[in-house]
Amino acid sequence: MEQNIVNVGDIAFGGANPISFIAGPCQLEGRDHALMMAEKVAEAMAPTGSKFIFKSSYDKANRSSIGSSRGIGMDEGLKILQEVRETFGCPVITDVHETTHCPGVAEVVDIIQIPAFLCRQTDLLLAAGNTGKPLNVKKGQFLAPWEMGNVAEKIKTTGNDQVMLCERGTSFGYNTLVNDFRGLPTMAETGCPVIFDATHSVQQPGGRGNSSGGERKFVETVARAAVAVGVAGLFIETHEDPDNAPCDGPNMIPVDQLARLIGQLVELDQLTKAHRA
């Protein structure tokens, strides 16, 4: 099946287009932190001229425990994302958890993200699709890759075909995720560009009892593997001090290591797509 091109600002995902990136800290921690992180991500992309969408969440509704940090809230979070967008000229993305959030979020962001655990929630998919914004839908850890075709079709009934599907690992026993890289071309058969989430793929959900663990050392490994298979983009969460981040620290990479990784991935993407031309 011919792959649809999803346009997010001046970034084109899909087909023979070079990989672009969705990158930023898991959770919005405040205005100054978001602006600092956006600047560091932009600096990491600059040597390769890579384009990126700045990602951060105003609310992390799916937490391991009631005591886990959820974020700064929708109103303040959207103001910060709008300032990031205006300051750095980059598109921005955040996730939604409620149908009622979709219209307000769509007024600010360039692309809406559907969390993995909510990827089959029909009302949420339709509400997001009806905004007309491009969508990045995380594949549920509990779904087979080919089931994401049904997810995409739900959204397309709204007349919105700007849909990307995102691989983030599959549940394997308790507190463990694994990647089956056959799933990347399988999801691409839907006609939707495929994004690979390198950081959540090494997450250990609930692995620390009241929070999730992760194996940061494998982020580069799975990212390189995905690019070698062929993807439209990479999702990478990053932080200046992951070990002290409010959420998902064990699987985020230090932002001072981001430029080196981006350089490797861009070179590998060029080689992969040259052989497919």
Side-chain angles (χ1 to χ4, degrees), residues 31-73:
R31 173 185 177 274
D32 291 346
H33 185 263
L35 291 171
M36 177 271 290
M37 285 300 305
E39 182 176 16
K40 287 184 178 295
V41 171
E43 290 172 352
M45 301 291 167
T48 58
S50 297
K51 296 180 179 180
F52 75 99
I53 302 170
F54 182 78
K55 181 272 167 186
S56 202
S57 301
Y58 60 79
D59 180 21
K60 303 299 293 183
N62 171 35
R63 298 289 84 192
S64 295
S65 88
I66 192 65
S68 298
S69 173
R70 286 190 54 168
I72 62 178

Side-chain angles (χ1 to χ4, degrees), residues 242-254:
D243 290 333
N244 290 297
C247 70
D248 278 352
N251 47 270
M252 284 196 285
I253 67 168

Side-chain angles (χ1 to χ4, degrees), residues 5-276:
I5 304 298
V6 172
N7 296 291
V8 184
D10 65 346
I11 304 175
F13 289 94
N17 289 301
I19 56 168
S20 293
F21 298 88
I22 300 173
C26 175
Q27 188 179 114
L28 283 166
E29 300 175 36
R31 173 185 177 274
D32 291 346
H33 185 263
L35 291 171
M36 177 271 290
M37 285 300 305
E39 182 176 16
K40 287 184 178 295
V41 171
E43 290 172 352
M45 301 291 167
T48 58
S50 297
K51 296 180 179 180
F52 75 99
I53 302 170
F54 182 78
K55 181 272 167 186
S56 202
S57 301
Y58 60 79
D59 180 21
K60 303 299 293 183
N62 171 35
R63 298 289 84 192
S64 295
S65 88
I66 192 65
S68 298
S69 173
R70 286 190 54 168
I72 62 178
M74 180 174 169
D75 291 343
E76 183 180 356
L78 291 179
K79 290 178 184 177
I80 292 171
L81 289 171
Q82 184 169 2
E83 185 172 358
V84 168
R85 187 178 190 270
E86 293 170 351
T87 301
F88 296 96
C90 62
V92 294
I93 182 172
T94 196
D95 32 25
V96 293
H97 302 89
E98 305 283 348
T99 57
T100 54
H101 291 183
C102 293
V105 169
E107 290 181 4
V108 174
V109 306
D110 300 272
I111 175 171
I112 294 173
Q113 183 162 282
I114 304 296
F117 279 118
L118 299 179
C119 71
R120 284 182 52 163
Q121 294 297 105
T122 301
D123 289 344
L124 182 61
L125 295 174
L126 297 180
N130 278 322
T131 67
K133 290 287 183 177
L135 305 182
N136 183 43
V137 186
K138 295 285 191 78
K139 180 181 76 65
Q141 303 92 319
F142 45 87
L143 289 183
W146 48 87
E147 292 182 82
M148 290 300 287
N150 292 328
V151 173
E153 285 304 313
K154 288 181 181 181
I155 297 166
K156 291 177 182 179
T157 63
T158 68
N160 185 346
D161 67 352
Q162 293 288 284
V163 182
M164 302 195 296
L165 303 178
C166 184
E167 173 61 72
R168 56 135 311 155
T170 301
S171 295
F172 185 78
Y174 297 125
N175 306 123
T176 304
L177 299 174
V178 296
N179 285 116
D180 178 358
F181 288 97
R182 297 173 300 178
L184 300 177
T186 298
M187 285 200 294
E189 290 174 2
T190 64
C192 298
V194 174
I195 306 298
F196 183 76
D197 181 344
T199 41
H200 287 97
S201 287
V202 302
Q203 186 187 56
Q204 295 170 323
R208 294 186 169 185
N210 61 0
S211 67
S212 291
E215 294 184 294
R216 185 185 305 139
K217 64 182 180 180
F218 292 123
V219 170
E220 292 189 13
T221 301
V222 296
R224 289 196 299 264
V227 173
V229 172
V231 289
L234 267 289
F235 179 107
I236 301 173
E237 287 189 339
T238 183
H239 196 276
E240 85 284 3
D241 184 13
D243 290 333
N244 290 297
C247 70
D248 278 352
N251 47 270
M252 284 196 285
I253 67 168
V255 72
D256 61 6
Q257 297 178 14
L258 185 60
R260 181 178 59 83
L261 176 59
I262 297 302
Q264 293 178 8
L265 298 177
V266 167
E267 287 186 15
L268 187 54
D269 179 67
Q270 291 169 346
L271 180 63
T272 300
K273 288 174 179 168
H275 282 283
R276 291 186 171 186

